[in-house]
Amino acid sequence: MALFLCLFVGCATSRQPGFEERDRFVINTPSYFDNKVFYVLQNLENDQYPLKRADQLTSDSKSMIFHGSPLSLILNNVTLPPSQAKGTKDIAVVLEVGTASSGESAPVVAWYQRGVRADQPLNFANLLIHFEPRWDSRVAPFVRIRVVDVSSEKNEEARDALAQVGTLAQGVSALIPGANQAAVSLGMKAASLVIASRANTQLLDYTVQFYSDEAIQAADGSGLTPLRKGRVLLVGRPLDHPSSYWASFKGSLDPATTQIYSNGSPVAAPVVTLTVSIAQSIVPAIVAQRSSYLTTLLRTAQQADLTAVKAAGKSVYDGARTFAAIENLRRNRDPSSLEELIQLEQNAGTEKVSDDDKALIRSTLKELTQCDVGSSAAVLAWKKANPNGFVFEDQKFKLKGVVCPT
């Protein structure tokens, strides 16, 4: 979903965290106990990107994410802090992301790497961790990330599960719930074994929620972390600095090294970088999630509820049809594919599509036209405002000379 985020922590208590009910709500205080969320500004200054603290961010309509938009969360990288300890570590990254109105989320091992050195990023970049096809602005996306040192793990079952996670997943995107059920099950099993083990050391455990502009305005600001397009950093205060450190913190990101600096000096703390996007990154997950639900209905002896089975089956069919129409338009970029998608949104065929599928179609049309097409009436008005047809720009998913209705 982390979906969806930084700060390495050391657990000083004798009880290691697990996945029981207590562990979902009680967090051991981390070693890097003082954390701040920063946003990466887009304009380079002296070959580095300035950072802006979340509570200092001003309202910007260009970066806002609006109700009903698709929502993608991309894990850019995880960087280990400098350490005086010699040797290397085996590191597992456990993610838990929630963006759906149901509030559901589940922890999954998303990355496992052996022989990790101090002061290095893990060997991945820009991995898709979650996709929500139609975000409800009432839901504040929830992201929890844990980094676990499994170097001392002696449990053969756990190590075998970790090795298989790397083989099956090859990154986070395959672990999105519904996208690959075998990988999800294996990742959840590995997470349970790894985090519950007393032999392992939990280095990081941080949770954050991001709020819509509507929620922030309703709370009169109140320092809530805003949901914005772009890169987000979670940075910990170095251990040898007092709380006043943040008062003089002037951060920047070096894009070449991914190192974070404050007033020109490297920050000796772990950093996790996440990108929030409205790109339709993994539309097939819609079909996979619905298919997973149908499979669950059949597998859990609910066959007697034929109405539920039929509804789930239609949902799978609709999702596949919607995805195929959007993919045809993105690949072919021709008037006939565009017309097919418009007709699907307008319910011009023999069968209607769901409101969620319509919202996804409108999001695609908005990306293509840059016009406000947030309803079926708006789509129809846009089509009538362009009676002479449509022509695509060369090498771009964009139309030439489109007129937006007033």
Side-chain angles (χ1 to χ4, degrees), residues 167-318:
T167 301
L168 276 181
Q170 294 299 325
V172 183
S173 57
L175 297 176
I176 298 168
N180 184 326
Q181 291 304 307
V184 169
S185 298
L186 184 59
M188 292 178 68
K189 174 186 176 183
S192 179
L193 292 169
V194 165
I195 302 260
S197 173
R198 292 181 181 274
N200 300 325
T201 302
Q202 187 140 327
L203 301 175
L204 176 156
D205 192 334
Y206 196 83
T207 302
V208 62
Q209 281 188 276
F210 299 90
Y211 291 83
S212 69
D213 201 60
E214 299 170 35
I216 292 174
Q217 290 182 17
D220 195 24
S222 302
L224 297 179
T225 306
L227 182 66
R228 293 285 188 271
K229 290 181 286 186
R231 281 183 291 184
V232 184
L233 300 181
L234 211 96
V235 181
R237 168 161 52 100
L239 297 179
D240 57 347
H241 287 73
S243 59
S244 58
Y245 172 79
W246 297 118
S248 60
F249 183 88
K250 186 177 181 181
S252 61
L253 167 67
D254 185 337
T257 64
T258 68
Q259 174 68 55
I260 301 301
Y261 291 86
S262 174
N263 299 303
S265 300
V267 175
V271 175
V272 174
T273 309
L274 182 78
T275 290
V276 181
S277 170
I278 60 170
Q280 296 178 22
S281 303
I282 49 166
V283 177
I286 303 170
V287 182
Q289 288 165 357
R290 292 172 179 175
S291 179
S292 174
Y293 174 62
L294 177 58
T295 302
T296 301
L297 275 177
L298 298 173
R299 188 175 60 236
T300 56
Q302 296 182 25
Q303 296 93 326
D305 188 356
L306 295 180
T307 301
V309 173
K310 288 179 180 178
K314 184 179 185 305
S315 182
V316 173
Y317 170 75
D318 286 348

Side-chain angles (χ1 to χ4, degrees), residues 37 95 129 184 254 294 383 399 404 406:
V37 174
L95 291 172
I129 61 173
V184 169
D254 185 337
L294 177 58
K383 185 181 178 183
L399 295 173
C404 294
T406 56

